[in-house]
Amino acid sequence: MARTKNAGLDDLPSTRRFAEQPQTELAIPPKLGTVLIVIIDALFPKVNQMSTAFKFILTILLCCLFCAEILAAEKDTDKTAVEINGKAVLPSHGTAAGIWFYHDSERGDSPQLLLTGFPTPTPKYRITAVLYKGDTIRILPPNAEPLIFTADDFPVIIEETVTTSLDPKRQPWSFQPVACSPSPHPYIEAALIEHDWRMQDGIDTPLERRTYREAIEKMLPPMQKLVDELAVSGDDAKQFETLKNSNVFNEDRWRELHRLRRKITFSNPLFPSEPLLFAKHVPSAMSHQLTQTYGYAARPGGGLFVLEEPGKSMRLTSLTAGKFPDGSYAHPEVSFDGKKIYFAFCEAPTAPQKWRDPETMHRRYHLYEMNSDGSGLRQLTNGEFDDFNPTCLPDGKLVFISTRRGGYHRCGGGPCYVYTLATLAPNENDKMPRVISFHETNEWDPAVLNDGRIIYTRWDYVDRDAVFYQQLWTTRQDGTNARIFFGNNTFVPCGIWEARQIPNSSKVMAVAAPHHGMSAGSIIMLDTSLGVDGEKPITRLTPDVRFPEAETLLACGIALPAPTDFDSPVSRHWDAVNRPDRPGYRETVQPEQERRWKGHCYKAPLPLSEKFFLVSYSYDLLRGEAGPNIPNMFGIYYVDAFGNKELLYRDPNISSVWVKPLAPRFAPPVTAGTDKYSKSASATFSMQNVYESWPKLPDGEENRITALRIVEVLPKTTPNANNPMVGAANASPGKQVLGTIPVEKDGSAYFECPAETPVLFQALDSRGRAVQLMRSLTYLQPGENTSCVGCHEHRMQTFASARPPLAMQRQPSEIIPAPEGSKPLSYPLLVQPVLERHCVSCHGETAKEKGGNIVLTGEPEGHYTKSYNVLIKHVSYTAWGMPNGNYEPITEPNRFGSRASALVKLLDDGHYDVKLSDDDWTRLNTWIDGANALFYGTFDPQEQRKQQLGGRIGE
């Protein structure tokens, strides 16, 4: 029988009535219908062009699909239906955690029904319902008598456990806005919390099911650590000792332990006593670390909300209801004084119906501001740019991520716009946003460290693999002094996002996430005093989740327009686990929780200390490219490093993410200011000693460094991978060689460098060949002077010079321009003249027999020229996915470039009577080393055609 309680008014029982026949409702899900519509849309414009036979085949196909649709609809009658006051009501989106929430969205005081449980391995469901006077709830299983609950005269509470299979009807996959659930009634809230305890412990779960005894024995050690950490005393300590030492292993003892743990958890002085701000947000239409924040991929639903009494109630206040059209909300931020809220919003009436949906490609995220009570709403940015991730700076400005730098991402299909750091002064309406990062590809998640630096994630794959280089960098608040913070040669995890400084600590908390999925995974803590790469600096705060894609296979998402649900089958995976060429420690032992909740994950940690943090957590499978994740993955939790986790809020229908206290907080110091720097087009760079390098440069006079080559990395100006290619290297960035500057005998250098320009450096020997290559980049702000110790110096060692570097005792060197064809890069102008002087006489069209059929003329052949297609096979260049060991992971002297190329060795050893001049060698070395053996200096197809024919561009 049902356990009934009053709803705070009267203590009267509910009435249960049983219908004679189960009642079901036919609801046709749009699964195959969606596919059918896509086929019709694609083929209809060409119907008149089809043959009669093809029309007949198409007719048969469509009929089969229609029949399958009907069968799918009939199969849906095997699911449990729910009616509230005679109206069929669908539940919240299903989750792997077995949570189904029902209410009538058209009624503010609607009854609320919560079903929790699973149909397998044996059916068991818990029913919690809140009914008001005159309400009736009917639960209609397909093969059992209905369950009917009524409140004839007074509000009532229903609590009941049934072993009937109540596998509910699902929300159909939809492109419409995802609704937010109302604040749960306190009894619904209590049921959600207890169900969450059961799911954590494996009580009645489909997989890795545990008894109460096993659950109690497993929860006691982390609870003991929490009690010790907080030095719990008094009645709570006594109760814990009593419960800990009990020999009873039943549900009551299990429940009392959890209630006590929750009480102790929220007694922690670090637990926020103030309201918590967060966003309800639907994950984007394409789960990828790159595409998760494009406006054109945004799915509608959500808003900004305040959890008024965290740990005590799930009651919410909406700050955005009625103020915006349908759309997507992201990245709420609170000002240091607690008076302002900043966030990103993208108007989106519907979700994209396919990747690159032409109906949504114009959509963009923009930044907004409001007061902490929701008043004073103001839009801060606009235009054809995506602006998101607003973060407050201590001088009153915002740093955020923006596509304003321009350009496109180099791999994959899109268009995928590049977004980097930018700043904005919200109170200075006459000042436009200013791009402060000129990095060649994407950046994410700025946050301010305790010392005032900005920490953020940079995708840094110049001439390297695309998958493993999304790691942490820092810069000053004006964009100066951009430097690696952690992980530029770390391959496990694939990337690190959402980094935040831990209060009163030098350490950083972040999420170890996949490359081919959105930024969700396992929460880690980084201690860079132990190293700047590898596993040693990493502490796993959530060892129940291994690193997705790097340690566990990442499920491929189901591409739109096909429907996606938490139990959709997984047929393909993204795999960076089985990569012996990427060294690093990989955890191979599968945690119990991972066996229970395959692909579960965390997101958006907010550290409170090294041991306690707020975070969003999902029981559901994290899916990667090429589709979306389910709308309601994440709830908000308070978690500790001992393994205790308490639910603060979960909306059964939509994800809750990016939580932070709505209160004043510590403001770090201001670091430099853009006004300090001039409007000069140049800046200066100094290096103390090139030989302070890691890996170590080779010894010997032949390896003495005499110059640095300065190479500009060109942003991609056309969308999609290799469209067009600029050379043989896969998905390569564009290059042009600015020239060289001298290195003094003590290894120092001091030189002018163009500002706001992404550049990299190469250490050259006396013959102008690269001993060491830089496969990252840097940039300087106008008037900035920055420095480094050496060539990839070891960052865990200090350097002290006995005397001032020689280069610093003079004026900065000016760049000595490279030969014609270096800027803009043009193989026909840079290299072909050398071949014309020395090679074509034997290796020309009229001398094929003498030249052994090796033709080195400049005649176009395919996308390049005949000579390029021949020589590139004898040149060592670095690229993503190159065969025969010609790949990274780590930069090694002499591994790539001219000193490792068969062509150079052939000419060095002597090739008949060929004698190259210094200019000839400079041209070849500039091409092989400086340009990584590329052909073109532009991504523009028309300009490329001009270059292929030997013409000049940029004049």
Side-chain angles (χ1 to χ4, degrees):
M1 290 296 293
R3 287 195 297 151
T4 61
K5 302 180 181 180
N6 64 31
L9 297 177
D10 292 275
D11 189 13
L12 291 179
S14 65
T15 303
R16 295 187 56 192
R17 301 190 183 114
F18 297 91
E20 294 182 0
Q21 298 292 333
Q23 299 182 23
T24 57
E25 178 181 79
L26 181 65
I28 300 178
K31 294 188 177 182
L32 291 175
T34 304
V35 178
L36 181 63
I37 291 170
V38 172
I39 293 174
I40 293 173
D41 286 346
L43 296 179
F44 186 79
K46 301 180 180 179
V47 166
N48 293 331
Q49 303 172 24
M50 297 178 186
S51 67
T52 302
F54 190 82
K55 289 180 181 179
F56 177 76
I57 293 172
L58 177 62
T59 301
I60 296 298
L61 174 64
L62 298 183
C63 288
C64 291
L65 289 174
F66 181 71
C67 291
E69 186 84 2
I70 294 174
L71 291 175
E74 290 177 349
K75 185 178 179 181
D76 198 47
T77 61
D78 294 335
K79 303 287 187 178
T80 293
V82 169
E83 293 179 357
I84 296 180
N85 295 327
K87 177 181 178 182
V89 178
L90 289 173
S92 58
H93 290 280
T95 85
I99 299 172
W100 310 91
F101 178 73
Y102 300 79
H103 72 105
D104 185 349
S105 60
E106 297 179 359
R107 275 187 52 184
D109 60 345
S110 165
Q112 295 184 1
L113 168 65
L114 181 69
L115 299 182
T116 56
F118 305 91
T120 60
T122 56
K124 189 171 185 180
Y125 283 84
R126 289 175 173 82
I127 300 170
T128 306
V130 178
L131 293 83
Y132 301 95
K133 181 179 178 180
D135 289 331
T136 299
I137 293 178
R138 294 162 57 88
I139 302 174
L140 307 170
N143 299 309
E145 290 185 337
L147 302 172
I148 304 176
F149 307 102
T150 64
D152 292 331
D153 299 311
F154 300 96
V156 295
I157 305 298
I158 306 296
E159 292 178 319
E160 181 168 339
T161 300
V162 299
T163 55
T164 302
S165 180
L166 298 182
D167 189 17
K169 288 185 178 181
R170 308 294 177 85
Q171 279 272 9
W173 177 254
S174 173
F175 300 103
Q176 298 305 309
V178 177
C180 297
S181 302
S183 294
H185 187 279
Y187 281 103
I188 300 292
E189 176 184 322
L192 275 171
I193 292 168
E194 183 167 316
H195 180 70
D196 196 81
W197 294 337
R198 295 178 187 277
M199 298 305 96
Q200 289 186 43
D201 292 352
I203 304 296
D204 299 328
T205 54
L207 299 174
E208 297 297 321
R209 183 172 286 201
R210 298 292 180 263
T211 65
Y212 285 111
R213 183 188 189 105
E214 291 169 328
I216 289 169
E217 289 175 344
K218 193 169 183 66
M219 74 177 291
L220 281 174
M223 189 172 175
Q224 180 69 66
K225 292 179 181 179
L226 175 65
V227 168
D228 294 343
E229 175 70 22
L230 299 181
V232 175
S233 60
D235 292 341
D236 290 344
K238 292 178 182 178
Q239 185 181 2
F240 176 65
E241 286 300 314
T242 300
L243 289 170
K244 182 177 69 172
N245 296 323
S246 172
N247 292 320
V248 177
F249 295 94
N250 60 13
E251 181 178 8
D252 288 339
R253 182 188 173 202
W254 169 86
R255 186 181 289 110
E256 286 304 307
L257 272 168
H258 269 289
R259 288 173 176 169
L260 179 62
R261 187 185 74 172
R262 188 171 179 87
K263 179 182 179 184
I264 292 172
T265 293
F266 296 145
S267 69
N268 187 344
L270 293 174
F271 181 74
S273 59
E274 55 275 302
L276 296 177
L277 172 72
F278 66 95
K280 293 189 180 183
H281 173 84
V282 185
S284 79
M286 173 72 81
S287 177
H288 189 285
Q289 44 92 9
L290 178 64
T291 58
Q292 63 183 329
T293 46
Y294 289 134
Y296 68 72
R299 295 160 71 195
L304 298 190
F305 292 84
V306 176
L307 186 63
E308 297 290 354
E309 297 179 292
K312 298 179 181 179
S313 168
M314 293 189 185
R315 182 175 58 87
L316 296 181
T317 298
S318 173
L319 298 179
T320 51
K323 299 176 182 177
F324 288 89
D326 289 327
S328 175
Y329 301 78
H331 309 128
E333 166 76 339
V334 180
S335 62
F336 289 108
D337 62 8
K339 296 180 180 179
K340 295 285 186 180
I341 294 172
Y342 303 94
F343 60 99
F345 173 76
C346 173
E347 183 175 353
T350 61
Q353 298 195 28
K354 58 184 176 180
W355 179 237
R356 292 179 286 193
D357 185 343
E359 297 299 318
T360 70
M361 294 305 295
H362 65 284
R363 297 176 183 172
R364 300 290 183 268
Y365 279 99
H366 299 303
L367 299 186
Y368 291 78
E369 172 194 78
M370 64 168 56
N371 296 324
S372 59
D373 62 358
S375 64
L377 179 65
R378 185 164 66 105
Q379 185 170 338
L380 299 178
T381 65
N382 51 41
E384 295 301 311
F385 310 104
D386 275 306
D387 298 323
F388 52 93
N389 268 138
T391 301
C392 293
L393 296 175
D395 64 355
K397 293 187 178 68
L398 294 176
V399 61
F400 62 101
I401 301 295
S402 177
T403 58
R404 294 168 186 271
R405 196 223 65 183
Y408 298 89
H409 152 63
R410 283 189 277 112
C411 62
C416 294
Y417 308 106
V418 165
Y419 40 74
T420 61
L421 297 173
T423 57
L424 169 69
N427 298 321
E428 299 177 18
N429 296 330
D430 58 328
K431 291 188 177 181
M432 294 292 292
R434 176 176 178 261
V435 174
I436 64 168
S437 170
F438 304 93
H439 180 54
E440 175 264 342
T441 191
N442 297 66
E443 297 170 337
W444 297 263
D445 303 322
V448 183
L449 298 174
N450 292 342
D451 62 7
R453 289 177 298 160
I454 297 170
I455 189 170
Y456 61 101
T457 298
R458 178 205 269 199
W459 194 359
D460 196 52
Y461 73 118
V462 176
D463 302 330
R464 302 197 289 178
D465 194 297
V467 173
F468 298 92
Y469 301 104
Q470 298 92 181
Q471 306 292 357
L472 298 179
W473 288 67
T474 61
T475 184
R476 296 194 188 105
Q477 294 163 22
D478 56 3
T480 58
N481 200 37
R483 294 182 182 270
I484 181 67
F485 180 82
F486 177 84
N488 212 28
N489 282 300
T490 296
F491 312 108
V492 182
C494 289
I496 300 175
W497 281 268
E498 299 182 316
R500 297 290 183 269
Q501 178 95 59
I502 297 173
N504 303 310
S505 172
S506 61
K507 301 171 187 176
V508 164
M509 194 176 293
V511 58
H515 170 85
H516 288 99
M518 66 176 175
S519 51
S522 187
I523 306 305
I524 60 174
M525 180 169 62
L526 293 173
D527 183 356
T528 54
S529 69
L530 301 177
V532 294
D533 272 303
E535 70 271 11
K536 189 175 181 181
I538 297 176
T539 298
R540 300 174 188 243
L541 296 176
T542 55
D544 54 310
V545 174
R546 290 184 293 169
F547 301 157
E549 192 171 4
E551 294 181 331
T552 62
L553 299 180
L554 176 69
C556 288
I558 302 173
L560 296 174
T564 303
D565 206 346
F566 73 91
D567 54 0
S568 297
V570 177
S571 58
R572 296 183 302 120
H573 295 85
W574 295 103
D575 179 11
V577 180
N578 301 299
R579 293 292 299 268
D581 59 312
R582 293 299 183 275
Y585 173 77
R586 288 177 170 85
E587 179 58 62
T588 59
V589 178
Q590 189 178 37
E592 174 189 313
Q593 297 92 333
E594 188 181 299
R595 299 193 302 269
R596 184 176 298 136
W597 308 113
K598 188 174 181 62
H600 68 146
C601 59
Y602 295 86
K603 181 175 176 57
L606 182 77
L608 304 173
S609 73
E610 293 183 4
K611 298 176 181 177
F612 300 94
F613 53 99
L614 301 175
V615 73
S616 292
Y617 171 72
S618 168
Y619 288 101
D620 290 287
L621 173 70
L622 173 63
R623 293 179 181 266
E625 189 181 350
N629 281 279
I630 66 169
N632 59 336
M633 292 179 70
F634 295 102
I636 298 171
Y637 290 76
Y638 181 54
V639 181
D640 63 39
F642 314 123
N644 301 294
K645 180 163 56 186
E646 288 294 337
L647 175 65
L648 292 178
Y649 180 80
R650 183 179 286 279
D651 186 324
N653 208 45
I654 189 171
S655 288
S656 300
V657 285
W658 300 305
V659 63
K660 51 193 59 178
L662 188 55
R665 57 196 170 99
F666 163 78
V670 175
T671 60
T674 53
D675 293 340
K676 175 182 176 181
Y677 299 100
S678 68
K679 296 182 179 179
S680 169
S682 66
T684 57
F685 196 99
S686 60
M687 180 173 60
Q688 296 183 55
N689 186 352
V690 70
Y691 301 105
E692 290 290 332
S693 65
W694 182 83
K696 189 179 185 300
L697 296 181
D699 296 325
E701 180 61 24
E702 71 276 12
N703 298 309
R704 185 172 63 87
I705 306 303
T706 62
L708 293 181
R709 182 182 286 121
I710 317 300
V711 180
E712 180 179 355
V713 181
L714 300 176
K716 195 171 189 299
T717 58
T718 56
N720 305 326
N722 296 320
N723 179 38
M725 295 189 73
V726 290
N730 176 42
S732 176
K735 302 273 185 68
Q736 62 182 11
V737 180
L738 305 184
T740 59
I741 57 94
V743 172
E744 303 294 341
K745 292 181 180 180
D746 65 350
S748 63
Y750 180 39
F751 55 95
E752 291 185 352
C753 191
E756 300 183 346
T757 303
V759 294
L760 58 81
F761 309 129
Q762 299 175 345
L764 310 183
D765 63 17
S766 60
R767 296 181 295 177
R769 299 174 184 177
V771 179
Q772 180 62 290
L773 304 173
M774 180 176 172
R775 289 183 297 169
S776 180
L777 63 79
T778 190
Y779 52 84
L780 294 91
Q781 303 295 333
E784 180 185 357
N785 177 29
T786 195
S787 65
C788 67
V789 173
C791 185
H792 294 250
E793 70 270 15
H794 199 297
R795 291 175 52 236
M796 293 305 294
Q797 297 177 358
T798 59
F799 172 80
S801 177
R803 58 179 61 89
L806 292 174
M808 298 302 293
Q809 299 178 39
R810 56 169 172 77
Q811 292 296 310
S813 302
E814 295 183 359
I815 296 175
I816 302 170
E820 182 186 27
S822 301
K823 180 187 176 184
L825 178 71
S826 169
Y827 172 90
L829 296 179
L830 179 63
V831 178
Q832 193 62 41
V834 178
L835 306 181
E836 297 293 336
R837 285 193 291 270
H838 300 286
C839 307
V840 171
S841 59
C842 293
H843 297 285
E845 290 289 351
T846 60
K848 285 186 178 181
E849 184 175 340
K850 182 178 179 182
N853 290 325
I854 296 176
V855 177
L856 297 178
T857 66
E859 182 182 353
E861 182 181 69
H863 189 51
Y864 306 111
T865 61
K866 291 187 174 181
S867 66
Y868 183 87
N869 290 333
V870 169
L871 294 185
I872 195 63
K873 300 173 185 177
H874 306 282
V875 169
S876 177
Y877 58 93
T878 175
W880 172 22
M882 283 297 298
N884 304 321
N886 189 13
Y887 52 81
E888 83 282 359
I890 197 165
T891 304
E892 297 176 5
N894 300 329
R895 184 169 185 174
F896 308 109
S898 57
R899 287 165 60 119
S901 293
L903 172 64
V904 173
K905 187 178 188 305
L906 173 71
L907 296 173
D908 269 348
D909 291 344
H911 183 62
Y912 296 100
D913 58 351
V914 174
K915 301 293 181 183
L916 299 185
S917 68
D918 289 345
D919 179 68
D920 295 332
W921 276 119
T922 297
R923 287 173 175 270
L924 288 179
N925 294 333
T926 299
W927 171 57
I928 298 172
D929 291 330
N932 196 36
L934 299 181
F935 188 93
Y936 293 107
T938 176
F939 288 99
D940 183 280
Q942 293 183 345
E943 297 281 84
Q944 283 194 352
R945 180 59 180 165
K946 187 185 295 185
Q947 283 197 324
Q948 187 185 31
L949 298 175
R952 291 171 172 79
I953 64 172
E955 297 180 344

